[in-house]
Amino acid sequence: MINTYLPQIKSGQSNQFFLMAGPCAIEGEDIALRIAEKIVTITNRLNIPYIFKGSYRKANRSRVDSFTGIGDEKALKILEKVGKEFGVPTVTDIHESHEAALAAAYVDVLQIPAFLCRQTELLVAAAETGKVINIKKGQFLSAESMKFAVDKVKESGNEKVFLTDRGNTFGYQDLVVDFRGIPTMRAFNVPTVMDCTHSLQQPNQTSGVTGGKPELIETIAKAAIAVGADGLFIETHPDPANAKSDGANMLHLDHLEGMLTKLVRLREAIL
């Protein structure tokens, strides 16, 4: 299914950005389908290539009592159902090499979390599934250094790779985005994405719950489009305050259409 999108989103070959969006974590079938239906309606109207995003399991949590998932197979089957019901590709993140084949049986794109982008065994295992691989740039790495992550995937026989920027560590409890990284990573001839929500996280809070600045999501998205990002990554939820994961930096689902409409106009203006 993702192959129908690839010709449209190859770096520098599309007149429109693509979107990876959905809830941080798969919380249940009903809410996943509801979110997907809303976003599909919006992206169809705006002619935005769309990939549904949802983590089947959250491995990187601050506290041991944080929500991690509803069960691996149950969540993966929901992702599969979303893809089939709405005819869109799906993406989920993996954390260990043995998860690659498991997740690849249900989704179209495997995502490598930022903290794990240097894990060679994980990148190779993901590449060997033949799926599209989305690698998030580590908060601790320069854009230039992501060339080596791309090389690991391509040298494993897989040319289908994206890169996603999600900001850089700034002190202990904040992130900043260096927008020079977008053209730098696009120069590797791979689609380059801006994660507009995780880049606004405020990690390592004393409460053990990550904070965020969702009021700046549109600002990050506009800047990313202005510097030529091929795609945007946005976590969204109909009730962020009660979301089971990362609610502090998710976009309210009701705000998505208005923001994307502005971004489409911005994209048209800079071409």
Side-chain angles (χ1 to χ4, degrees):
M1 191 183 302
I2 188 66
N3 291 330
T4 63
Y5 281 98
L6 282 176
Q8 302 177 59
I9 62 182
K10 280 271 191 180
S11 182
Q13 296 180 17
S14 175
N15 290 331
Q16 186 57 276
F17 61 88
F18 66 97
L19 177 69
M20 289 192 280
C24 177
I26 297 298
E27 301 175 4
E29 182 176 306
D30 289 346
I31 191 167
L33 292 172
R34 181 154 52 101
I35 293 170
E37 182 177 25
K38 179 80 175 277
I39 302 176
V40 166
T41 299
I42 295 168
T43 53
N44 282 348
R45 184 180 69 79
L46 296 174
N47 197 30
I48 298 172
Y50 173 51
I51 303 169
F52 177 84
K53 182 270 166 186
S55 296
Y56 78 93
R57 175 157 48 87
K58 302 300 296 183
N60 175 24
R61 303 286 84 190
S62 296
R63 295 178 2 186
V64 72
D65 61 347
S66 296
F67 174 80
T68 58
I70 60 174
D72 292 358
E73 188 175 12
K74 183 177 180 181
L76 286 167
K77 285 183 175 179
I78 290 171
L79 283 162
E80 182 180 48
K81 183 170 183 176
V82 167
K84 289 180 177 178
E85 187 155 324
F86 296 102
V88 296
T90 54
V91 56
T92 198
D93 39 328
I94 59 173
H95 315 92
E96 297 183 56
S97 54
H98 71 265
E99 297 177 32
L102 170 66
Y106 296 92
V107 301
D108 304 282
V109 183
L110 299 180
Q111 181 167 284
I112 307 300
F115 281 124
L116 302 176
C117 68
R118 283 174 52 90
Q119 298 299 103
T120 301
E121 186 176 304
L122 178 61
L123 287 166
V124 171
E128 289 177 345
T129 67
K131 297 290 183 176
V132 175
I133 311 302
N134 179 40
I135 311 171
K136 286 197 169 185
K137 184 187 79 64
Q139 304 93 318
F140 45 87
L141 290 177
S142 68
E144 289 82 358
S145 65
M146 290 304 292
K147 178 183 183 300
F148 303 108
V150 171
D151 289 345
K152 288 176 183 179
V153 173
K154 289 188 173 182
E155 290 171 13
S156 299
N158 189 338
E159 295 287 324
K160 297 177 290 187
V161 55
F162 302 165
L163 288 177
T164 295
D165 195 353
R166 55 141 305 156
N168 305 286
T169 299
F170 185 76
Y172 291 109
Q173 295 178 323
D174 206 359
L175 298 167
V176 295
V177 178
D178 180 354
F179 285 99
R180 296 175 299 177
I182 299 295
T184 296
M185 292 191 292
R186 289 186 82 239
F188 305 147
N189 196 34
V190 296
T192 301
V193 180
M194 184 70 233
D195 184 337
C196 303
T197 45
H198 287 98
S199 59
L200 291 167
Q201 281 186 334
Q202 294 180 307
N204 305 317
Q205 300 297 304
T206 55
S207 65
V209 178
T210 297
K213 296 182 177 180
E215 67 274 11
L216 294 176
I217 292 171
E218 186 171 316
T219 299
I220 295 293
K222 286 177 176 176
I225 294 300
V227 299
D230 299 291
L232 298 176
F233 179 105
I234 298 172
E235 288 189 339
T236 183
H237 194 282
D239 186 10
N242 291 301
K244 295 183 181 295
S245 179
D246 278 3
N249 55 272
M250 275 200 279
L251 180 72
H252 196 292
L253 187 59
D254 288 346
H255 299 158
L256 183 64
E257 183 170 10
M259 187 180 77
L260 290 177
T261 300
K262 295 176 189 176
L263 295 173
V264 167
R265 292 202 301 265
L266 178 59
R267 177 76 169 197
E268 292 171 350
I270 66 172
L271 288 176

